[in-house]
Amino acid sequence: MTDTEKLEKFQQRIDNGEKIEPKDWMPERFRRQLIRMISQHAHSEIVGMLPEGNWITRAPSLKRKLTLLAKVQDEAGHGLYLYCAAETLGIDRRELVEQLLSGKAKYSSIFNYPTLTWADIGVIGWLVDGAAIVNQTMLAKSSYGPYARAMIRICKEENFHKRQGYEIVATMANGTLEQRRMMQDAVDRWWWPSLMMFGPHDSESPNSAELIKWKVKTKTNDELRQRFVNLTVPQALAVNLSIPDPDLKYNEETQNWEFGEIDWDEFYAVIKGNGPMNRERMRARNRADAEGEWVRKAAEAYAAKRAAKPRVAS
Ligand code: BYC
């Protein structure tokens, strides 16, 4: 088959709703787009452990500490499933990690904001995991088999994360005046960065058209952002918290919550490395990598020793 014929057949398989698997033929650009997206997603899970990890030692009760520990461990697991999914595309994990540590690879903008109070932990579960679920439920139908399958498991765990977050939010929103104020302050700080998680407007998104043609994404950034707002505003109202957007209003006709404009200057500053916590996050990941070097060396030496040992038939 010529390259054009291969490409046509590939597109036909996608249009028929078939999954593309690692050993199938795929255009180089498809492979590169997937490596970009899946590895950024993996890095986001790993860097995403830092803002919440900041509160493990200061959780207000043993129950809260155990739940937070479990959530942060889940995120490490999500990172590992996603690095495995990226590796099926023929790239080595160490290369991906180097891209993160050198600042070449992106990770989600949301993790470049600080967690100032315990209320932030509730809001991250509710808004950040809530946004992630909206995005990832769509990605669970992605055309690349290993990514779609990783998403199914991740979404199940994210649902638990969202519920634990909203439970913290509801408890504090119904607590003392001071707790309520603390929760409203957290919502005020995290609302707009959560909307930024979905990426630029469709008209400004260089990758969307290609990803949608290949059904890697099946919905656009703006469609998912609107879905998130529609799901989340009633949840805020249910616990009497307000959304920090004077332009927010319900449109009866479209049944959408219409919202104001995102500060795109802030978004681009954060993804270029100039957000409030970018440098701190990179320092923390580089430190962890250096401190873990002896573990990797020991594991490699052990694997080499086992491989060299003659096997005895049982
Ligand atoms: N942050 O053409 P566009 C989580 C970049 S973690 C940073 O629209 P695309 C969780 C984009 O990469 C959540 N960068 O891109 C973990 C591109 O730059 P490059 C992470 C962003 O790919 C722990 C440029 O802007 N989820 O769930 O069509 C605890 C133009 O954008 C962002 C994923 O990674 C951003 N927010 O769409 C709790 C999901 N937005 O690469 C929760 C998988 C855009 O060309 N990824 N950029 O240099 C996706 O769904 C898509 O990649 C995006 C962007 C929607 C993020």
Side-chain angles (χ1 to χ4, degrees), residues 264-281:
W264 294 110
D265 290 343
E266 177 179 322
F267 170 76
Y268 286 109
V270 173
I271 71 171
K272 282 185 187 136
N274 297 317
M277 296 296 280
N278 293 63
R279 285 172 190 80
E280 168 59 27
R281 300 291 182 241

Side-chain angles (χ1 to χ4, degrees), residues 26-280:
M26 61 185 83
E28 183 55 19
R29 176 83 190 151
F30 180 81
R31 197 179 73 84
R32 289 165 73 92
Q33 275 285 30
L34 278 168
I35 291 176
R36 176 189 70 85
M37 213 171 128
I38 302 174
S39 63
Q40 285 179 7
H41 196 165
H43 301 326
S44 304
E45 298 282 355
I46 299 300
V47 178
M49 296 165 74
L50 295 168
E52 290 173 292
N54 179 33
W55 279 89
I56 292 173
T57 54
R58 291 174 290 159
S61 70
L62 181 60
K63 181 185 131 189
R64 294 294 189 205
K65 190 196 280 275
L66 287 173
T67 321
L68 183 58
L69 263 174
K71 180 181 193 287
V72 173
Q73 281 179 353
D74 284 351
E75 278 146 17
H78 298 173
L80 297 183
Y81 313 151
L82 287 163
Y83 283 128
C84 285
E87 282 178 312
T88 64
L89 292 152
I91 188 158
D92 183 68
R93 184 175 312 201
R94 189 65 207 164
E95 195 179 335
L96 297 174
V97 172
E98 295 288 351
Q99 288 173 0
L100 171 70
L101 298 179
S102 65
K104 195 171 151 215
K106 290 192 174 71
Y107 57 87
S108 183
S109 51
I110 192 76
F111 301 118
N112 292 305
Y113 292 85
T115 39
L116 302 181
T117 71
W118 173 254
D120 291 30
I121 300 305
V123 169
I124 289 180
W126 173 39
L127 298 182
V128 176
D129 287 84
I133 292 169
V134 168
N135 173 267
Q136 291 169 184
T137 307
M138 176 267 295
L139 294 173
K141 298 188 192 101
S142 162
S143 56
Y144 188 57
Y147 194 26
R149 290 189 287 274
M151 283 298 114
I152 292 170
R153 181 155 175 193
I154 291 178
C155 279
K156 285 189 182 148
E157 293 176 354
E158 302 280 33
N159 266 311
F160 154 73
H161 297 169
K162 185 185 164 186
R163 277 157 199 247
Q164 71 81 35
Y166 191 62
E167 199 257 336
I168 295 175
V169 171
T171 304
M172 287 184 74
N174 289 309
T176 62
L177 187 62
E178 186 54 28
Q179 286 172 323
R180 236 195 114 61
R181 279 201 192 122
M182 203 186 270
M183 187 48 74
Q184 184 61 58
D185 170 63
V187 175
D188 292 349
R189 285 183 287 108
W190 288 91
W191 174 254
W192 290 105
S194 300
L195 297 194
M196 293 175 197
M197 284 177 73
F198 295 92
H201 279 314
D202 299 345
S203 54
E204 305 294 322
S205 161
N207 298 295
S208 278
E210 191 171 56
L211 293 174
I212 285 176
K213 179 181 78 178
W214 284 330
K215 294 195 184 162
V216 174
K217 299 202 310 199
T218 52
K219 295 220 169 10
T220 70
N221 298 357
D222 284 328
E223 283 169 341
L224 292 174
R225 188 168 14 246
Q226 183 65 61
R227 177 163 171 70
F228 170 73
V229 172
N230 289 351
L231 287 170
T232 310
V233 172
Q235 291 163 1
L237 297 178
V239 288
N240 289 319
L241 288 166
S242 58
I243 300 288
D245 178 356
D247 296 326
L248 189 73
K249 61 174 186 302
Y250 190 66
N251 182 326
E252 290 285 350
E253 209 173 299
T254 61
Q255 303 198 339
N256 283 325
W257 280 94
E258 292 172 354
F259 52 97
E261 196 50 86
I262 289 169
D263 181 347
W264 294 110
D265 290 343
E266 177 179 322
F267 170 76
Y268 286 109
V270 173
I271 71 171
K272 282 185 187 136
N274 297 317
M277 296 296 280
N278 293 63
R279 285 172 190 80
E280 168 59 27

